[in-house]
Amino acid sequence: MKPNDVILHSVTKVAVFIILTFSIYLFFGGHHNPGGGFIGGLSVASGLVLLYLTFDIETVRRNIPVDFKKVAAFGVLIAIFTGASSLLFDKPFLNQAYGYFNLPIFGKTELATAVIFDVGVALAVIGTAVTIILSISEDG
Amino acid sequence: MILLAVKIAILCMSIAILGLIYRLIKGPSMPDRIIALDAIGINLVAIVALVSIFLDTNAFLEVILLLGILSFIGTVAFSKYLEKGVALERDRDL
């Protein structure tokens, strides 16, 4: 007999959206408020873990066809290349710059190159955490 | 005045957590311990909120949401492990 998990499935379908939205908020708030790449990536990973717990690994893999080992490698590459790109402008490694721009919707916005480095950190954290959890769940 | 009320509330929350820790250690069955752990998480959320009132800062508001999320996921994982014997299944339909 198949178990009936309808309450858990319904709650998860709503809660995962809230968790992922909150992690995006944590990620973008990291420049001036508590948050940043590490905790943003970890909360994305916890939302994915909730999906893996509620449904099974094959279903989530079919719907999110992402190899998380490649995500971790891609994140480290992004972090290294943003660090190395400051060498092109005769600045030391991992130098950063920021400026104020007038964007169409947001108005006057501060854009910093540290965000791109943070994207790398977040992708590396997501890839590492999900890879660890998926590989220790292999039975036998 | 408000600080005194906050101090009393933090004291009450600490006493509640002590009672829950008693249940966590003593609890005869595993679901008792899981529910005690879940309630400790909720009480920690309350203590973080009270401390952020006490320190007059809003830097800890992300911690509240994050503790709620992590406590929920931990409880779901423990309950699924108790019910099915595995936390993550390879394929549900098999």
Side-chain angles (χ1 to χ4, degrees):
Chain A
M1 195 186 97
K2 281 179 68 175
N4 192 357
D5 294 338
V6 64
I7 296 178
L8 182 59
H9 285 187
S10 314
V11 169
T12 299
K13 280 169 195 164
V14 179
V16 163
F17 275 100
I18 299 173
I19 294 172
L20 293 182
T21 313
F22 176 60
S23 63
I24 290 172
Y25 164 72
L26 273 180
F27 176 78
F28 282 111
H31 205 62
H32 295 293
N33 293 313
F38 186 76
I39 190 65
L42 267 188
S43 51
V44 169
S46 66
L48 289 175
V49 166
L50 183 60
L51 277 181
Y52 281 122
L53 279 172
T54 309
F55 304 99
D56 51 281
I57 294 177
E58 284 303 321
T59 309
V60 180
R61 183 173 291 158
R62 235 178 288 127
N63 289 292
I64 310 175
V66 176
D67 187 358
F68 284 99
K69 294 186 200 73
K70 285 177 187 161
V71 169
F74 192 61
V76 174
L77 272 184
I78 287 178
I80 289 178
F81 279 131
T82 46
S85 67
S86 62
L87 295 175
L88 298 176
F89 301 100
D90 282 337
K91 295 280 172 53
F93 184 61
L94 283 177
N95 205 345
Q96 58 161 331
Y98 67 95
Y100 294 93
F101 299 95
N102 270 316
L103 294 185
I105 299 170
F106 302 104
K108 187 185 174 193
T109 314
E110 181 187 2
L111 293 181
T113 55
V115 177
I116 310 174
F117 187 77
D118 243 10
V119 169
V121 173
L123 286 182
V125 169
I126 294 170
T128 312
V130 178
T131 304
I132 288 173
I133 287 168
L134 284 187
S135 52
I136 64 175
S137 76
E138 303 273 351
D139 37 15
Chain B
M1 191 61 207
I2 182 81
L3 289 186
L4 182 68
V6 166
K7 275 182 193 168
I8 294 173
I10 290 178
L11 193 67
C12 296
M13 284 298 159
S14 315
I15 294 170
I17 286 187
L18 278 182
L20 287 165
I21 286 175
Y22 171 73
R23 181 45 71 194
L24 188 66
I25 297 170
K26 183 85 174 172
S29 68
M30 221 35 158
D32 288 328
R33 296 197 173 96
I34 293 170
I35 289 190
L37 213 56
D38 195 31
I40 285 177
I42 304 296
N43 278 325
L44 276 181
V45 168
I47 285 188
V48 171
L50 289 168
V51 165
S52 69
I53 294 173
F54 188 72
L55 298 178
D56 196 15
T57 172
N58 55 5
F60 299 140
L61 298 186
E62 283 91 355
V63 178
I64 295 174
L65 259 168
L66 211 58
L67 267 179
I69 290 169
L70 290 184
S71 155
F72 173 67
I73 292 177
T75 311
V76 168
F78 273 129
S79 333
K80 189 163 178 200
Y81 177 69
L82 275 192
E83 191 183 0
K84 296 191 178 155
V86 285
L88 296 184
E89 289 165 291
R90 167 70 37 197
D91 205 340
R92 212 160 17 113
D93 297 326
L94 288 180

